C-alpha cells in the first residue's frame, strides 16, 4: 500500500512511497513512465517532497533529511535534526527553508543557507506531529499532531540574506 504521494509544482511528475519501503518511485504522467531513483536504502524513508523551484527532492528519514539532485543523480546536502525522530516535511515557496515535524512533538525550522542543523526547534505539541504545511500565499505555516491540535505560526522569510526568519506562534486550534 502507498503511504505518501507528492506532486511536483508543474503537475507532470509525482513521487510515491510504499509502506515499509526504502525506495522512491518518480512517475511522469505525459510519458506514462516510472523510475526508481535509488536501488535500495537501508534506512526506511518517511516522506518525500519535490523542491519548489529546483530539480531537487527532499527525502526524509527518521534522523536526516537528504537533498537529492534529480538531474545529476547525486546527494547534494544532508540535514541533521540532532537525534530527534522526523516524521513529515514541508518546503517554503522559496525553497531555502524547510520545516520538519518529529514524532516527539518537536517542530524544526531549517534555513539551508545558514547550516545543516535546525535554525529553530519548537516544542509545540505534546504528541507526535503527523503533518506540516506552508500557506501558498501568506507567511503562515501549521503543524498537526496526535494530541488533536493544530498549531498555526507566522513565519516570515526575508529576502535579505543577512536577516534570519521571523517565527511567531499565532493560534492553537
Amino acid at each position: 500500500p502507498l503511504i505518501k504521494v507528492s506532486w511536483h509544482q508543474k503537475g507532470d511528475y509525482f513521487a510515491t512511497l510504499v509502506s515499509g519501503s526504502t525506495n522512491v518511485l518518480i512517475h511522469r504522467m505525459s510519458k506514462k513512465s516510472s523510475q526508481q531513483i535509488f536501488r535500495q536504502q537501508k534506512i526506511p524513508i518517511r516522506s518525500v517532497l519535490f523542491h519548489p523551484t529546483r530539480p531537487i527532492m527532499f527525502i526524509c528519514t527518521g534522523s536526516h533529511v537528504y537533498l537529492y539532485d534529480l538531474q545529476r543523480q547525486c546527494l547534494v546536502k544532508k540535514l541533521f535534526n540532532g537525534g530527534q525522530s522526523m516524521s513529515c516535511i514541508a518546503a517554503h515557496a522559496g525553497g531555502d527553508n524547510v520545516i520538519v515535524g518529529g514524532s516527539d512533538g518537536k517542530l524544526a525550522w531549517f534555513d539551508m543557507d545558514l547550516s545543516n542543523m535546525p535554525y529553530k526547534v519548537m516544542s509545540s505539541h505534546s504528541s507526535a506531529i503527523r503533518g506540516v504545511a506552508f500557506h501558498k500565499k501568506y507567511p503562515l505555516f501549521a503543524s498537526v499532531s496526535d494530541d488533536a491540535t493544530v498549531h498555526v505560526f507566522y513565519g516570515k522569510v526575508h529576502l535579505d540574506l543577512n536577516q534570519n526568519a521571523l517565527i511567531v506562534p499565532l493560534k492553537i486550534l
Side-chain angles (χ1 to χ4, degrees):
L2 292 175
I3 60 168
K4 179 76 176 174
V5 175
S6 178
W7 283 94
H8 189 268
Q9 295 282 24
K10 294 182 180 176
D12 192 27
Y13 295 95
F14 66 98
T16 57
L17 186 60
V18 180
S19 176
S21 177
T22 53
N23 290 330
V24 177
L25 291 170
I26 297 178
H27 311 278
R28 187 168 185 184
M29 296 286 287
S30 61
K31 291 191 176 181
K32 299 177 185 167
S33 63
S34 299
Q35 176 184 359
Q36 263 187 350
I37 61 171
F38 303 120
R39 287 289 175 226
Q40 194 74 356
Q41 294 286 83
K42 295 179 184 177
I43 302 167
I45 298 169
R46 304 258 174 106
S47 185
V48 293
L49 179 70
F50 287 101
H51 192 281
T53 58
R54 289 183 255 165
I56 293 176
M57 177 170 271
F58 297 102
I59 299 164
C60 182
T61 65
S63 58
H64 297 90
V65 174
Y66 298 98
L67 278 73
Y68 185 78
D69 191 326
L70 295 169
Q71 284 182 337
R72 294 185 297 166
Q73 297 185 354
C74 65
L75 183 68
V76 176
K77 196 172 203 176
K78 187 192 292 189
L79 303 176
F80 301 97
N81 202 12
Q84 301 171 21
S85 180
M86 300 184 207
S87 60
C88 53
I89 186 171
H92 188 266
D96 290 332
N97 292 281
V98 176
I99 51 175
V100 177
S103 47
D104 56 356
K106 293 184 180 175
L107 184 68
W109 179 291
F110 288 92
D111 187 345
M112 292 184 288
D113 292 334
L114 290 177
S115 173
N116 61 350
M117 296 295 287
Y119 161 66
K120 190 165 191 174
V121 177
M122 297 158 277
S123 299
S124 54
H125 293 279
S126 62
S127 194
I129 296 175
R130 297 296 174 195
V132 290
F134 278 100
H135 194 282
K136 292 194 184 290
K137 190 175 179 183
Y138 299 115
L140 300 172
F141 65 95
S143 62
V144 63
S145 172
D146 284 346
D147 61 6
T149 61
V150 177
H151 290 228
V152 181
F153 296 88
Y154 175 82
K156 174 72 173 168
V157 176
H158 300 281
L159 295 176
D160 183 13
L161 294 177
N162 293 330
Q163 287 185 315
N164 292 332
L166 174 65
I167 302 167
V168 179
L170 290 181
K171 198 93 156 150
I172 299 175
L173 307 172

